Amino acid sequence: MVEQMAEARWYGKLRDGRGEFKSATGQVFGPFSFASRFESGVGTNPEELIASALASCFSMALAARLTKERFVPEWIHSYAQVFLDKTQDGEFALTKIEIRTEGSIPGIEAEMFQRMAEEVKNTCPVSKALSGVQIILRTAMLVVSSETQRMMV
């Protein structure tokens, strides 16, 4: 089994606070904030990270699918756009994700490329995770008093 990890920290209140995230390898990192998520502030946001993960996974899975059928992709370029909207109950939710993909695959017909891309849309690991996956929550709370300081897990 392959396991990957990332971490994020948030400092302060929602609107004027700031956050930072980093993957375990340190290859993916950056700041995020209310402004970078809901306005046009500097930094990234969870939806951009999800879109990056999906575009990457989709491209790799499509290459695997094409290779299985003996097509050798020269390149595949995929774009994912994640939409964050306020729902009827006033909460925010990811309401739609659009994937665009293009590639240079010698010998394939457009119909077959379209069919394989549709299959991959439903079977790449990140697509499957975004269609509904069990979320396991682990929490830690720092309890601070004038006399003691301890971590509760």
Side-chain angles (χ1 to χ4, degrees), residues 23 35 66 84 97 99 113 129 135:
S23 65
L66 289 161
L84 176 69
I97 298 173
I99 301 171
F113 182 74
I135 298 173

Side-chain angles (χ1 to χ4, degrees), residues 79-128:
Y79 308 82
Q81 187 173 7
V82 175
F83 294 82
L84 176 69
D85 291 311
K86 210 176 239 189
T87 60
Q88 290 179 344
D89 61 5
E91 298 293 323
F92 281 94
L94 303 183
T95 57
K96 179 171 65 170
I97 298 173
E98 292 182 6
I99 301 171
R100 289 185 298 140
T101 192
E102 56 192 29
S104 177
I105 298 94
I108 198 167
E109 293 181 14
E111 269 181 28
M112 183 172 271
F113 182 74
Q114 176 68 33
R115 183 175 52 79
M116 288 185 188
E118 281 291 331
E119 290 173 14
V120 168
K121 179 189 81 162
N122 298 318
T123 59
C124 91
V126 174
S127 289
K128 289 196 295 192

